[in-house]
């Protein structure tokens, strides 16, 4: 088993996370303070690069969408899609920002409304502040983060399916070497940095999930959260996503994403109908208009000055480097779903659709929380300040019918969201850990178990030790160098296309793409004949029997 592993990329995250774990456990406060100071210095001096870079990613996708390049198909013109559009979108949503919208959907708009930065030029609590706050929430949770994922997904996916490259994040850089794999030592270091970033990213997200589920159990069942409760929750989640990962993409992740997406939609519709419907629609309409009209200004808000409150550094830039820490691995995961689809379809399903869902989600939950505050029904800001973001989402259901039932459903959604995220990431980094990943559908189970447990234990230790803020800062710092990796992917891919090398690829790799198409057709036939795989999961019950 060990002979199959890429030793250096695997050791880099293990060693670095081990060091951080020890320091964070021994001196969590000093560790967090040091990392925070470094993050502030980094974002103050170089955060503008992040803002510009992510805007370039969005522009890159718009260009590909409208240009004839958008019709290029992953796997060649004979490739046939494996996954239906619904499940493709559901997996993209749940593996992308599904965990975040559950945590921040009602919280962030309220926070920005009553504590906007001075440079925004709006009065706290005013209509202008509300619209500005909603637009900033849209920026953090819609097109920009998914653009980060899509840049990696498109560049890696084309290299993997159309140029016979390896299933690694560094495959997105082959355009810089005339389509050939880069130097082994360089790719090992790049992939190791990316693995380190994703381990920190998933561990940080899972850590917040433990806090939120703990608060939810306190609301519903009166169970006081603490180390024992967090440990039990962690064991259940780790076991769930490890088992799901072991079943493979076509079973575990597919089934979880399908169910999770439907519950997302059900909750959304319930709050929209039971809440202040007209207010939410009006708020969403005006906020979306402001967001679209001012997208560039919102994206490049840096608040230059001598003594500022560092608002864009702690919000805009923080979120973008946070997404960057996930970007290459989420993009690599989305590659698995892209076969037989065009670049334009990839952008539509993996950027436009989930981004619009995020906008609707924040409008509904954020609008509901704002309406409760502004109408005087409850002091939502006071509750948030006293109890924290992890308890806020559960609190708002106090003002809806079927409170306890909806809270239980929300607990299920939170759990499924984190299981789906960790499941997809565990499966992807496990395959990427192999020396020979080309054509490997699933990594060996022991490797999946190792990564699943490793990430889960890191998150649990930091939650119990009180160092969750430290790991949060670490994962965002790790995301900063990934900005330049993805920019190199984007530029290299554009040069490759403009030089017409994609036409060369159609000829040079024609035999490879044809063999892949035949293999995919054989796999589809085998799955269709396998009674253990229920395709009705994502074809809405259509009959899949052989004709």
């Amino acid at each position: 088993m060990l002979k199959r592993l890429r030793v250096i990329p695997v050791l880099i995250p293990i060693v670095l996370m081990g060091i951080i774990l020890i320091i964070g456990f021994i001196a969590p406060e000093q560790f967090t303070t040091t990392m925070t100071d470094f993050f502030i210095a980094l974002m103050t001096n170089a955060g503008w690069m992040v803002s510009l870079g992510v805007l370039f990613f969005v522009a890159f996708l718009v260009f590909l969408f409208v240009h004839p390049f958008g019709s290029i198909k992953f796997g060649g013109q004979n490739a046939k899609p494996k996954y239906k559009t619904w499940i493709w979108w559901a997996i993209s949503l749940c593996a992308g920002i599904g965990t975040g919208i559950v945590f921040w959907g009602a919280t962030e708009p309220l926070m920005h409304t009553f504590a906007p930065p001075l440079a925004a030029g709006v009065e706290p609590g005013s209509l202008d502040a509300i619209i500005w706050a909603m637009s900033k929430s849209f920026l953090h949770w819609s097109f920009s983060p998914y653009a980060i994922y899509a840049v990696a997904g498109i560049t890696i996916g084309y290299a993997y399916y159309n140029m016979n490259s390896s299933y690694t994040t560094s495959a997105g850089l082959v355009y810089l070497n005339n389509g050939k794999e880069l130097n082994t030592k360089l790719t090992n270091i790049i992939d190791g940095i990316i693995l380190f970033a994703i381990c920190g990213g998933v561990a940080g997200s899972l850590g917040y999930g433990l806090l939120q589920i703990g608060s939810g159990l306190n609301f519903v069942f009166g169970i006081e959260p603490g180390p024992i409760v967090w440990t039990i929750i962690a064991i259940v989640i780790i076991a769930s996503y490890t088992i799901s990962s072991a079943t493979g993409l076509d079973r575990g992740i597919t089934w979880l994403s399908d169910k999770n997406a439907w519950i997302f939609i059900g909750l959304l519709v319930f709050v929209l109908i039971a809440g202040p419907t007209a207010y939410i629609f009006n708020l969403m309409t005006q906020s979306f208009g402001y967001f679209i009209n001012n997208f560039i200004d919102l994206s490049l808000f840096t608040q230059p000055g001598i003594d500022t409150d560092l608002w864009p550094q702690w919000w805009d830039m923080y979120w973008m480097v946070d997404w960057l820490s996930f970007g290459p691995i989420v993009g690599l995961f989305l590659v698995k779903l892209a076969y037989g689809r065009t670049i334009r379809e990839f952008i539509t399903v993996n950027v436009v659709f989930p981004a619009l869902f995020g906008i609707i989600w924040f409008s509904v939950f954020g609008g509901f929380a704002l309406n409760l505050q502004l109408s005087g029904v409850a002091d939502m800001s006071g509750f948030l300040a006293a109890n924290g973001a992890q308890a806020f989402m559960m609190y708002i259901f106090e003002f809806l019918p079927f409170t306890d039932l909806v809270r239980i459903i929300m607990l299920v959604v939170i759990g499924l969201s984190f299981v789906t995220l960790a499941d997809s990431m565990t499966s992807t980094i496990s395959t990427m850990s192999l020396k020979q990943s080309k054509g490997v559908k699933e990594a060996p189970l022991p490797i999946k178990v190792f990564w699943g447990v490793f990430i889960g234990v890191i998150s649990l230790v930091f939650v119990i030790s009180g160092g969750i803020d430290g790991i949060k800062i670490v994962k965002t710092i790790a995301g900063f160098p990934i900005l330049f990796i993805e920019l190199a992917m984007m530029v290299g891919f554009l040069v490759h296309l403009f030089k017409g090398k994609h036409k060369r690829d159609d000829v040079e790799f024609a035999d490879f793409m044809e063999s892949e198409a035949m293999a995919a057709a054989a796999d589809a036939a085998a799955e269709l004949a396998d009674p253990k795989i229920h395709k009705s999961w994502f074809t809405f019950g259509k009959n899949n029997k052989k004709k």
Side-chain angles (χ1 to χ4, degrees):
M1 181 66 68
L2 293 177
K3 293 181 179 180
R4 299 183 62 185
L5 290 177
R6 302 172 67 204
V7 177
I8 294 178
V10 171
L11 282 180
I12 288 176
I14 293 174
V15 171
L16 292 179
M17 275 297 166
I19 294 172
I20 292 170
L21 199 64
I22 293 171
I23 298 174
F25 189 76
I26 294 174
E29 292 185 5
Q30 295 89 330
F31 172 70
T32 301
T33 299
T34 302
M35 289 295 99
T36 299
D37 290 343
F38 181 77
F39 174 79
I40 291 174
L42 180 64
M43 290 299 102
T44 301
N45 291 285
W48 59 271
M49 298 182 188
V50 176
S51 299
L52 274 174
V54 175
L55 183 61
F56 289 156
F57 293 159
V58 175
F60 167 71
L61 297 181
V62 172
F63 170 77
L64 287 181
F65 190 87
V66 300
H67 195 276
F69 290 150
S71 62
I72 295 174
K73 184 182 288 189
F74 295 104
Q77 293 305 309
N78 294 327
K80 304 295 182 184
K82 179 178 181 181
Y83 298 97
K84 300 295 183 181
T85 301
W86 160 260
I87 197 60
W88 189 19
W89 170 79
I91 294 175
S92 178
L93 174 70
C94 297
I97 61 175
T99 56
I101 64 175
V102 171
F103 194 91
W104 292 101
T107 308
E108 190 172 320
L110 185 74
M111 294 174 70
H112 298 339
T113 295
F114 292 96
L118 292 176
V122 295
E123 182 181 349
S126 66
L127 176 60
D128 288 340
I130 292 172
I131 300 303
W132 189 88
M134 291 301 303
S135 299
K136 274 298 182 180
S137 298
F138 294 165
L139 178 73
H140 300 156
W141 298 94
S142 62
F143 296 102
S144 295
Y146 274 104
I148 293 171
Y149 299 158
V151 167
I154 289 171
T155 55
I156 297 170
Y158 182 87
Y160 178 68
Y161 287 124
N162 297 57
M163 300 173 67
N164 198 20
S165 295
S166 60
Y167 185 75
T168 60
T169 52
S170 56
L173 297 169
V174 298
Y175 313 104
L176 303 178
N177 195 32
N178 197 31
K180 300 177 183 178
E181 299 282 354
L182 302 181
N183 179 277
T184 302
K185 293 181 180 179
L186 180 60
T187 57
N188 283 341
I189 293 174
I190 291 172
D191 289 336
I193 292 173
I194 290 171
L195 285 175
F196 167 68
I198 196 62
C199 285
V202 177
S205 296
L206 181 56
Y208 277 113
L210 298 181
L211 295 175
Q212 193 174 28
I213 293 174
S215 295
L217 292 175
N218 189 21
F219 266 102
V220 178
F221 302 108
I223 300 174
E224 193 68 28
I228 295 177
V229 173
W230 290 328
T231 301
I232 294 172
I233 297 170
I235 291 172
V236 172
I237 291 180
I238 293 169
S240 298
Y241 71 67
T242 303
I243 292 171
S244 176
S245 178
T247 63
L249 174 62
D250 292 335
R251 301 186 185 185
I253 300 176
T254 298
W255 189 87
L256 286 172
S257 299
D258 176 55
K259 302 302 178 287
N260 205 20
W262 280 116
I263 300 175
F264 267 138
I265 293 173
L267 275 173
L268 196 68
V269 172
F270 171 74
V271 176
L272 181 60
I273 295 175
T277 308
Y279 177 81
I280 290 172
F281 275 122
N282 282 309
L283 176 64
M284 178 170 61
T285 302
Q286 185 168 343
S287 299
F288 184 70
Y290 183 89
F291 172 64
I292 295 299
N293 286 332
N294 298 277
F295 181 77
I296 295 178
D297 285 344
L298 289 166
S299 299
L300 301 182
F301 179 66
T302 59
Q303 193 172 288
I306 304 301
D307 294 316
T308 69
D309 57 5
L310 300 177
W311 195 97
Q313 284 74 23
W314 277 115
W315 282 102
D316 296 349
M317 298 170 194
Y318 169 83
W319 277 129
M320 293 309 132
V321 289
D322 187 58
W323 301 130
L324 282 163
S325 70
F326 283 86
I329 296 295
V330 174
L332 183 63
F333 171 72
L334 295 177
V335 165
K336 289 189 174 183
L337 311 171
Y339 184 77
R341 301 286 188 167
T342 65
I343 292 176
R344 191 172 292 111
E345 288 175 313
F346 187 98
I347 296 171
T348 301
V349 175
N350 290 308
V351 180
V352 178
F353 288 171
L356 291 176
F357 184 86
I359 288 171
I360 296 171
W361 181 275
F362 272 78
S363 297
V364 171
F365 283 89
F368 181 46
L370 284 166
N371 185 263
L372 290 172
Q373 176 75 38
L374 297 172
S375 62
V377 174
D379 183 10
M380 306 302 288
S381 294
F383 179 88
L384 178 61
N387 297 275
Q390 64 267 22
F392 191 76
M393 187 62 106
M394 289 295 174
Y395 178 63
I396 68 171
F397 294 124
E398 189 78 27
F399 307 96
L400 290 171
F402 313 111
T403 298
D404 290 338
L405 175 60
V406 178
R407 281 176 175 163
I408 292 173
I409 294 173
M410 178 55 77
L411 279 175
V412 173
V413 169
I414 295 169
L416 283 177
S417 296
F418 283 98
V419 167
T420 307
L421 169 69
D423 181 348
S424 57
M425 296 300 95
T426 298
S427 297
T428 305
I429 63 178
S430 296
T431 304
M432 185 176 159
S433 301
L434 301 176
K435 289 180 179 178
Q436 297 295 333
S437 58
K438 186 64 185 178
V440 176
K441 292 186 65 175
E442 299 291 341
L445 179 59
I447 298 177
K448 290 184 177 182
V449 172
F450 166 76
W451 282 116
V453 173
F454 178 72
I455 293 172
V457 169
I458 291 172
S459 66
L460 178 60
V461 171
F462 272 103
V463 168
I464 293 176
S465 68
I468 188 64
D469 287 334
I471 190 65
K472 180 180 75 172
I473 298 297
V474 167
K475 72 188 178 85
T476 54
I477 293 173
F480 184 72
I482 293 176
L483 169 69
F484 303 99
I485 294 174
E486 288 209 16
L487 283 172
M489 291 178 177
M490 180 185 75
V491 172
F493 186 61
L494 283 175
V495 171
H496 188 84
L497 295 180
F498 276 116
K499 286 188 174 181
K501 292 184 179 180
H502 59 292
K503 298 178 180 178
R504 178 205 67 181
D505 298 334
D506 290 341
V507 177
E508 183 174 343
F509 298 101
D511 292 341
F512 160 71
M513 286 187 277
E514 182 63 28
S515 66
E516 288 289 292
M518 294 176 63
D523 285 343
E527 289 183 10
L528 198 62
D530 188 349
K532 295 181 181 180
I533 299 180
H534 302 287
K535 289 298 212 178
S536 59
W537 284 348
F538 50 94
T539 55
F540 304 103
K542 291 182 181 179
N543 193 344
N544 286 307
K545 294 181 180 179
K546 284 186 175 181
K547 296 182 180 180

